Amino acid sequence: MSEKKNIWFGFVGSFSPRFYRSIASQSFARSFGYLVLLLLLTSVVLSAKITFNAQIAIQKSLEWINTELASRIPEFLPEINIKNGEVSSPAKQPLIYEWKDSAFVLDTTGTITSLSKYKSGILITEHALMVKHAENNKTQTEEYDLSKIKSFKIAPGEKKGEFIILSFEQRSFSLTQKDIERLSDIIGKVIFPVVTIAFFLYFLFAKIFHLFLFSLLSLIVNTITDAKLKYDNLLNIGIFALTPPVIFSALVLVLGLNIAAPFGFLLYIGLYSLFLVMAISECKNINSYYLP
């Protein structure tokens, strides 16, 4: 098998122990090039799967935002105005939204002055903002004076397709349906390349670590079988022996197979070890008659 075929046909050949006789003595650079190609293609396949699922999720989210969320924003987002440090709102007060042990409270009437009933939350009074949260298993409450704020407003959108209006001092912003669609379009376009690069970098570092970690197993098998292989031979074999477990792992993810984490990892390690042992045994004494 030619050097060119070692790279392109390694995907299929790596499943045959006899194939390793043809790559054991090639240059490590060529084997590493194969590893890069294998991991790049694996990353592309997995990224395509994730991108496809993400596009579906984005589309469903857009539909929910444009229907459910748009109609319920006025229900959950009260209009809040701050003029020269004084808070006002046309909403009926005290206004309380509770989520388990947390709450958002708006009360400028002075009826509620603390968040003692809740483990965490936000309280907006006539002149202050209180935030209660847990840190290092201790509850802390921080209070912020609003007297320095001259002008601020947050309110539900007033026009069709407008979700939220936000103004601060002399600046005004609005979150609209077009903004959400534009953002989702950008996310949809960058998911594939970003996820592909992330997968590839993770796989590259992980497989290089696996390769040198399992080179200890290769040395042990080399000694037990008296294969008389050089360390370079063992590294080449170790790279191509990654193919079956890598493809196995990719198929599990693409097909959405539910394999418990410990068992999936053990299957990966077992498959890799099996091909290492078979390949080294098949390449026994190759250096005595095979010229690189």
Side-chain angles (χ1 to χ4, degrees), residues 133-140:
H133 59 93
E135 185 174 324
N136 298 324
N137 296 322
K138 293 182 179 180
T139 301
Q140 295 185 355

Side-chain angles (χ1 to χ4, degrees), residues 53-63 184-185 187-188 191:
N53 292 339
Q55 293 284 10
I56 294 177
I58 289 173
Q59 188 58 43
K60 289 183 178 180
S61 298
L62 277 176
E63 293 175 0
S184 64
D185 185 55
I187 293 174
I191 286 177

Side-chain angles (χ1 to χ4, degrees), residues 36-253:
V36 170
L37 178 63
L38 171 67
L39 299 182
L40 181 59
L41 291 178
T42 302
S43 301
V44 167
V45 171
L46 294 179
S47 181
K49 168 71 173 180
I50 291 176
T51 301
F52 176 76
N53 292 339
Q55 293 284 10
I56 294 177
I58 289 173
Q59 188 58 43
K60 289 183 178 180
S61 298
L62 277 176
E63 293 175 0
W64 179 80
I65 289 172
N66 292 333
T67 55
E68 289 283 325
L69 182 62
S71 63
R72 300 188 69 178
I73 284 179
E75 178 183 348
F76 291 101
L77 177 65
E79 178 181 329
I80 301 175
N81 296 284
I82 303 178
K83 289 288 186 181
N84 297 319
E86 183 174 324
V87 180
S88 64
S89 174
K92 185 178 179 181
Q93 300 176 50
L95 177 67
I96 304 173
Y97 295 137
E98 296 180 336
W99 303 273
K100 295 183 179 180
D101 296 327
S102 301
F104 170 81
V105 181
L106 171 64
D107 183 22
T108 60
T109 66
T111 303
I112 300 177
T113 57
S114 73
L115 293 165
S116 57
K117 292 175 55 179
Y118 309 100
K119 290 184 178 180
S120 62
I122 296 174
L123 168 62
I124 300 177
T125 64
E126 189 175 10
H127 299 289
L129 168 67
M130 296 182 190
V131 179
K132 187 176 183 180
H133 59 93
E135 185 174 324
N136 298 324
N137 296 322
K138 293 182 179 180
T139 301
Q140 295 185 355
T141 300
E142 299 173 357
E143 184 172 341
Y144 302 92
D145 184 8
L146 302 178
S147 61
K148 294 182 179 180
I149 299 179
K150 295 181 179 180
S151 176
F152 174 86
K153 176 182 178 181
I154 185 170
E158 299 173 351
K159 299 179 292 184
K160 184 178 181 181
E162 187 176 54
F163 299 137
I164 299 172
I165 299 173
L166 181 65
S167 61
F168 182 73
E169 302 295 344
Q170 302 299 320
R171 299 181 179 180
S172 181
F173 308 91
S174 63
L175 179 64
T176 66
Q177 181 178 341
K178 288 185 178 180
D179 294 329
I180 298 294
E181 291 175 350
R182 190 180 301 114
L183 178 61
S184 64
D185 185 55
I186 293 173
I187 293 174
K189 289 179 179 178
V190 303
I191 286 177
F192 182 77
V194 169
V195 174
T196 298
I197 293 172
F199 266 132
F200 175 72
L201 292 177
Y202 168 75
F203 286 148
L204 185 61
F205 285 109
K207 301 314 172 186
I208 289 176
F209 174 75
H210 292 172
L211 176 65
F212 287 100
L213 178 65
F214 276 84
S215 64
L216 177 60
L217 174 62
S218 299
L219 290 170
I220 294 173
V221 175
N222 188 43
T223 301
I224 293 175
T225 60
D226 195 27
K228 295 184 175 61
L229 296 176
K230 299 176 182 178
Y231 189 66
D232 289 348
N233 303 142
L234 297 176
L235 286 179
N236 288 333
I237 290 172
I239 285 177
F240 281 84
L242 281 168
T243 305
V246 166
I247 292 178
F248 166 76
S249 299
L251 285 175
V252 168
L253 293 173

